[in-house]
Amino acid sequence: MSEVVYEETATMIAAGDLHSFVPFGREHCRNHPNAFNLQLRELQPASELWSSDGAAGLVGSLQEVSLQERERESWQLRKGHTGVNEDEAEFEEELYAAGNVAVWSQGSRTQASSVYKAFTVDSPVQQALWCDFAVPQNNNEAEELEQTVCIVQSSCINVHTVTGKDFISPLPFQVSNVWATKFGLLLERKNAANDTQPNPPGELLPTVFSMLHPLDEIAPIVSKPSGLFEGTRVQYVSDPNMKIVFTCCQPSIVISYDTVQGTHTVWALRKVTQDERSTVLRCPTEPAGTPMSLMASGFLTSHLRNASHLDSPGGCGAMGSPLHYSALHSHQSRIMTSSPGVHPRVHSPSISNMAALSRAHSPGMAAPSFSGTSRFNTSFHTPSPRGHHGLLPSPNSTANESMLVLEMEPIIPDLCVEQLWSETVPTGCHREMSSQASKVFLTSDLCENHYLCFLVESHQHLRCVKFIQSNDSTQLIFPSVTTIPAKDAAPLQNIDAMLVLEACGSLVLYTGVTRVSKVYVPNLPSPSISLNNCLPHLSMAVETVSTPNSGSRQIHRLNEVRDAMPSPVSDLKSLNIKHHEASFFEDYTFQQPTPFIHTLRDPDCIQNNAFIIVLVKWYNIYNAPGGPSAHAEWSQFVTCFMTLMGYNTERLAWTRHKLFKNPFLSSVTLQTASPSSSSLKLESSAPLFPHIPALFYVLHLLYQELQLDELHKARAASLVCLLQQLARDLQMEEYVDLYWRDYPSLISCFTESCMIDQAVIGQMQRPSFLRSDPPCVFTWLSSCLRGEESPPFPFLPGICQRTKLLLLSYALYIIGDVNATSTNVSKYLFKLSAGIFYCCQNNQIFYSCLSITVGFTLKDLESVPFGVALPIREAICQCREQPSSDWPEEVCLLIGRQDLTKQAHKMTLSVGSGFSLVPPASTEADEEEDGMLDIIHEVTGLIWSQDLRVQEVRRLLQSSRPVRVSVVQLPEVSDHEYIEEKENKLLQLCQRTMALPVGRGLFTLFSYHPVPTEPLPVPKLNLTGRASPRNTVVDLNSGNIDVPPNMTNWPSFHNGVAAGLKIAPASQVDSAWIAYNKPKSPELANEYAGFLMALGLNGHLTKLATLNIHDYLTKGHEMTSIGLLLGVSSAKLGTMDMSITRLLSIHIPALLPPTSTELDVPHNVQVAAVIGIGLVYQGTGHRHNAEVLLSEIGRPPGPEMEYCTDRESYSLAAGLALGMVCLGHGSNLIGMTDLNVPEQLYQYMVGGHRRAQAGASRERHKSPSYQIKEGDTINVDVTCPGATLALAMIYLKTNNRSIADWLKPPDTWFLLDFIKPEFLLLRTLARCIIMWDEILPNTEWVKSNIPQIMRGNFDTSEDINMDTMAQAQDYITAGACMALGLRFAGSASSDAFDCLYEFARTFMKMMSFAGTAAVGMGYYNLQTCLSMILLAMSMVMAGTGNLKVLQLCRFFHKRTGGEMNYGFHMAHHMALGLLFLGGGRYSLSTSNSAVAALLCALYPHFPAHSTDNRYHLQALRHLAVLAAEPRLLVPVDVDSLKPCYALLEVTYKGTKWYDETTVELMAPTLLPELHLLKQVKVKGPRYWELCLDLSKETQHLKSILIRDGVLYVKLRAGQLPYKDDPQGWKSLLATTVNHRNPGVTAFKVNQRLSQRFTIIIIRCSDLLVTLCCVYSLVLFSAMLYECVTQECPEMLPTYIAIEQAVGTLRRGDLQQTFPLWQLRLVVELWDSRMLRGAANKQDSLLTSEFLPVMKNAVDVALDTWLKGEGIFGWVISSHGSLLGCSSFADLLLRSSQLGIPLRDLLRLVPLLSSASGSQSLLFPLQTFSS
């Protein structure tokens, strides 16, 4: 009855203007070059048309042009997917197909449509659709969706993915329709005439197939009918009468139509199970399984496979069920053993699959003459002249039976359709059979009931089938079917409604099956006019619309007038739609007015049908033509709501006079309104009457929710008017009392109540959750603060989110229950309905409740009342003090730590990252070419702020400007000799210039991010000079002196490496950019070779395409090969990459088979390849490579000239490579015991008879050398260095004393004479790094390495060569110093540095002596030792820029004459580069890999000249980069984004050398190696503290260091940066500020801070002026000062709110008790802090002075109010139990009945005294009762 009463028949809703919809693709296709090509036909003369085929030709052409062209076009629309939630998608996509073109376009209200993709295919497009294919991931069971567009042609399907992949899937049969599903595509086979009549063998081909991926085989689908009888079985879908009319992804269903019975059936589409797969593949036992049918089945399978190499089944079937099926037969072994429902697509494709792929991409695929397809079509898709023999082989078939049996493997089905629901078959002959549904869609109503709607045009009605999910969400249940008369319908998904076109032509809005109202559309023709006559040109524009169906066009559907509806996705191209181009329904949805309607939607509150009535009624009121004004919305809602509950709003005074817009302003008017004389009654027949108690309780909970939001206080006041009326009528006095206490001045004005008949009161449903005592959220929070137990608070999920959040926050923080948000939620919250409730995962930390669970933000906290928010603010402040470095970004934002929030964004200090750290542009042109402009000066300026050492390093390392040649022309020197003298001087200076790039590469390491569109700038290597005084140019190419040939080859290579090393590893570099940098001129080829090596060292060479690598190598350029081989090996360090191994093996004859062709590989390339093997196999202990490298150390010289020159470098490279392969393995060389590696290396080191070569090398080395006579002994001069270093690297850090003793220097003079001094250096170095833990940073340890015979007194009788002794002693010292440098590399250890510096000074003194020592020792030897000690010092102080080392480097830089050759300059400038490694951002590591790289790079034999590679390949000097690691920590101020100083506290882990130690460092600073550290902490008081705990994991700090070491820090309020205030004397807290100074209103602490507080004070200025009170100004100044100094600026509004609340109370202006509640919560929080003890005082945000003052002011105001109003006597008289009190003493005894604490009662004594005049304290109480 109620439905009829409340149906709004006369109501209409207005929609926007009407515009015809034109698909964007149509416009695009007109301009597309492959459009219809109609222009050609139009230009063709009529005579040609006539002559082609007479009249038929013309008729055919005209028919094609005029009638059919519009039929060919089709389109689809859908919501755009932006990669976020689908609800947030704001654009629409259109897929349009016409002719051979498919156009995918996108557009939105704010952006015009544009083409996203356009596809052109070979044949006409039959269908275009979107489909998402599931691609299984190899590592887990999860599947990734691949979005595609599928274009169906007659012979194939083109699949294009959004990621750029293209597939062509051939079709083995003609397809009538293709459908997109959750799993992939469904294909309906086009039925031929002979399919409908079963053949004698009973064979029917499957009709529906699936394709789960374009690379998968097309498989038939099996069906499972509903199991109503025993005969149901799983079979293939083969009924030719079954047509699919609709598919849906969510839920995954298929709807079919039976053309014979005229019924629709709903099927669930899912993966096939293993049992079902077995059932359909098992050989049947029925008689139908005859050899004939088996043969036919096999023939079909083989024929399908031959046709297109895609599986397509045939088989035999039974005729028992309404659908006809066929079963394929096979052996059980064919069934795949994959998990049920998962189709294995990761197996290797068979040959047939590969053939299918190759054919799929062949251009002839779409041609109609494709033999397989035509053969299949001839056989199965045309009426056979032999009738029933259509399924059998033709008589002339060449296929024999054996071949059939071999190819009889059936196709395994992937998907299954399971019958869920079917229409009832019409009974009786008079019933007309339903036609096929012309349209099917899903819709839902406002109560989330879901309907499947299909439009039956023959009956002109819409059938709505309701469906619900089963409890386990695995099955759909269809409980009811509703029929709505309709000519057409379309869903409006955004508002849970649908639009129906009735037979009379009216547009009606429905939600589910409930009629809402008619829709008025301007310019729509009157209902009597048929739509096709008026609007034939209109097309459709609704989301998820289907293409206009060309099958049945008798009735003109709503498709043709789609834009007439107020669609949620209205015409995107229209510009005249009202309301910001949005449609009417989208702007005014059902849920528009406030959260009140949401509240009523709760399932436990009212039933769905009643709720829909409410919404329909409200929707019609709200959206009436003209619409409501904003201020009338609430009054309309209350009127509508109360009417539905049975109230007569015209007879209630407060609703009749519309006095609830602003309740406080209307209270006076309300008091004057006379109450109605007759008693008011409620209408019990109203639809919401039975639900009044539940509705009241729900609205009460909403009222509590609104009270927790400052912005909704006005709403709460409006709602309380409605609530008090309901509470009065329900006679719930406690609730009325609660509302009276909240709004005393408001509620006292309402006196009316309505009567509810006792007879109908039983109809009211009183829910179980309705309590007699009203739930009050403030009371609950107050008891929580007092530590009292409280019952769980009721809440509504989805509505009372703030209530839930705040209550759980109190439980977590105040009560201290860490499980409050997970397991103990029910202790604090009582959920009213079965809504969704998210539990928190990480419940150990307070922030989990605040941020992670429900996304709480600081903005939300600002709207929480100040008393409620205070404990949460305290918790936030505690978290802010000591946060964890790994908290999520949202949490850091919540606690106000912007530094941690910014840290999560992973910013770097590179140019363009928002830091504005661009180096200052230089004015001179040549200044820009020195290659060192990219050092970030803001950082280096902080590290070295006292001097200009960085500029000095740039001056020393620049090689792009001419050098100054200063030669004085003596009188006796002629001009020609003078020119020669200047050029000789320039040649000496050029030795230094050519060595500079090696150091410059280390200095500028990883400092540059290249622009992808620009080539890398490479500074010139300038070898000219300028001679004073005339600044004339001096050039080496004048021919006056002899210049070595190819002198600049290797320097150019080093210059290219230096330029390439600038590129940071995080840069965007790809293969095209690397090739783009290739120089045009051959002179720059050496530089490019170095550039390639550098790209390998910084990891970018892995991006170079393999084709390019081989292209470079085939050029045969020696330098390019060296750079490329070393580069790719460095990039693949320790990976054992096989492709790189093959690349390297080609260049190493020992790794090639003995019968292989001998390649002419240059010697230096072989050396680089051998080192490359060591790098690629570093630390792997690879047996074969170790064996080859071991033999290569002692490779004998071959005949002719091969292997005879520069043998030392090859042997050294083999030794280094062997050491790297077995790096640090020591005696644990698995599987190499038979090689005797240490013994063989020892023999190479000390000499002896050569062992016989084994295997392939025997053939290669059977002929002796004709150049060098070595005999059978090992040439120690060649093999010793490599063997020594190999032994050192294999036993690195193993502390193996037996191996170390092999390396001790001899202890007799006789044996000492047999060893070269250089080898003594290597042996000492090797011995020391094996005994790694014994290295100590003092001179005693260094000297202990010198043999005993060299120390102390010498026996004069012995014949001692003092030169030998001096050289041996110095080289041993240099070796020990080198080991000391490696041991303490990058540590900046002062002990190690002092020790090394002392030895350096000693050697400097020896060099300065012109006496016998220097002469006997030899300048070269001294310089070698000194260079090694200098390098050792640079290793220790790497990245620190130590001044003493810089002075030494500068001293050697100036020395260019004498024996100071190219190699020494290289060593000195390498030391300089290491000292300023990466511009001070990098340091050296002491890992095994780093030590190996440093041994390769700093090998203590430097080249004598620029082309010298005899002992050591120069390119290996750059491998030092592999030992560099970022260790600079740069504090960056999060507000200014500028680097700054910050104090760090670094804690070292305890070791056996020292205990756990804490040191303070001023950042920016280089951190020690991370494995040595326990924690790094940013220390106060200037910056907020931050602790990085490295004992848990180091990855977080590593990621910070990799990103340029940017550590964001936040300056505390009142503090100044160290740069502005080094001593801390200028900070706010250090200054003495008088709190009572009225001028203190803002502080210039920080620009942003001062602006913020100044604005607040300015806003408060009006208040200050109105108060005209110095007290207030002082108070506000004190508040501001307190907030700033306590670092809690967010507390300023709280201070002000407390003061304003107290002031309002004092003035008596309170109209509600809301501020008093907040004051009470604040006081109770303070009391709980005091009860816990003084130790907890610092937890409180409010100062100890402020709160007692405010509390006292409240007490005074309340005392005054009690005294003035005589309230106390009223209290006594209202409590009848107290009337017998004869004295105040009796009153005290009965005080518990009053519920007033005794303390507060005692405070009333003065009031009582004053009230009783001169009476004594024991006054009678009767005076108050009168």
Side-chain angles (χ1 to χ4, degrees), residues 1058-1282:
L1061 285 178
K1062 286 200 306 182
I1063 301 172
S1067 305
Q1068 299 297 318
V1069 170
D1070 56 10
S1071 184
W1073 186 78
I1074 298 172
Y1076 171 59
N1077 277 279
K1078 190 174 181 180
K1080 303 292 184 290
S1081 60
E1083 294 85 21
L1084 299 175
N1086 294 332
E1087 273 186 3
Y1088 189 66
F1091 168 71
L1092 290 175
M1093 180 179 175
L1095 287 176
L1097 291 171
N1098 53 29
H1100 290 303
L1101 209 54
T1102 53
K1103 300 164 189 170
L1104 185 62
T1106 311
L1107 193 66
N1108 289 2
I1109 293 178
H1110 288 280
D1111 184 40
Y1112 289 139
L1113 291 175
T1114 51
K1115 294 286 191 296
H1117 187 262
E1118 181 180 339
M1119 292 288 197
T1120 304
S1121 299
I1122 292 171
L1124 198 57
L1125 293 178
L1126 285 173
V1128 293
S1129 306
S1130 303
K1132 295 285 186 180
L1133 188 69
T1135 59
M1136 295 203 292
D1137 188 276
M1138 282 310 299
S1139 60
I1140 306 301
T1141 306
R1142 287 194 290 268
L1143 196 69
L1144 297 167
S1145 300
I1146 297 170
H1147 300 85
I1148 304 173
L1151 286 174
L1152 295 175
T1155 57
S1156 61
T1157 307
E1158 289 194 10
L1159 301 173
D1160 185 21
V1161 181
H1163 177 267
N1164 287 339
V1165 178
Q1166 291 186 35
V1167 172
V1170 167
I1171 292 288
I1173 288 288
L1175 290 167
V1176 174
Y1177 286 84
Q1178 186 182 88
T1180 60
H1182 192 272
R1183 152 88 194 207
H1184 175 63
N1185 285 331
E1187 183 179 3
V1188 171
L1189 292 169
L1190 183 63
S1191 64
E1192 288 299 284
I1193 294 176
R1195 179 177 74 172
E1200 307 303 332
M1201 284 299 292
E1202 60 184 5
Y1203 310 150
C1204 291
T1205 57
D1206 296 349
R1207 293 173 58 208
E1208 292 86 351
S1209 62
Y1210 186 85
S1211 178
L1212 174 67
L1216 290 170
L1218 174 63
M1220 283 194 273
V1221 171
C1222 306
L1223 185 63
H1225 280 250
S1227 302
N1228 302 322
L1229 290 171
I1230 308 298
M1232 294 193 207
T1233 50
D1234 59 319
L1235 294 181
N1236 296 321
V1237 176
E1239 291 83 359
Q1240 180 70 47
L1241 290 174
Y1242 183 67
Q1243 189 180 16
Y1244 282 142
M1245 198 169 68
V1246 299
H1249 283 281
R1250 189 187 306 280
R1251 297 185 183 181
Q1253 295 286 338
S1257 14
R1258 180 187 302 167
E1259 291 295 319
R1260 194 176 287 116
H1261 301 304
K1262 62 183 179 183
S1263 301
S1265 171
Y1266 306 144
Q1267 307 292 328
I1268 301 172
K1269 183 174 181 181
E1270 287 187 345
D1272 293 334
T1273 56
I1274 293 171
N1275 187 344
V1276 181
D1277 290 338
V1278 173
T1279 59
C1280 181

Side-chain angles (χ1 to χ4, degrees), residues 430 461 566 1209 1400 1430 1575 1811:
H430 63 281
H461 64 218
S1209 62
L1430 184 62
Q1575 82 171 18

Side-chain angles (χ1 to χ4, degrees), residues 1424-1449:
T1424 301
C1425 294
L1426 191 53
S1427 299
M1428 297 320 296
I1429 294 173
L1430 184 62
L1431 281 168
M1433 273 196 291
S1434 293
M1435 280 194 285
V1436 173
M1437 308 306 287
T1440 62
N1442 182 273
L1443 268 184
K1444 291 183 177 178
V1445 186
L1446 176 59
Q1447 288 167 351
L1448 282 176
C1449 292

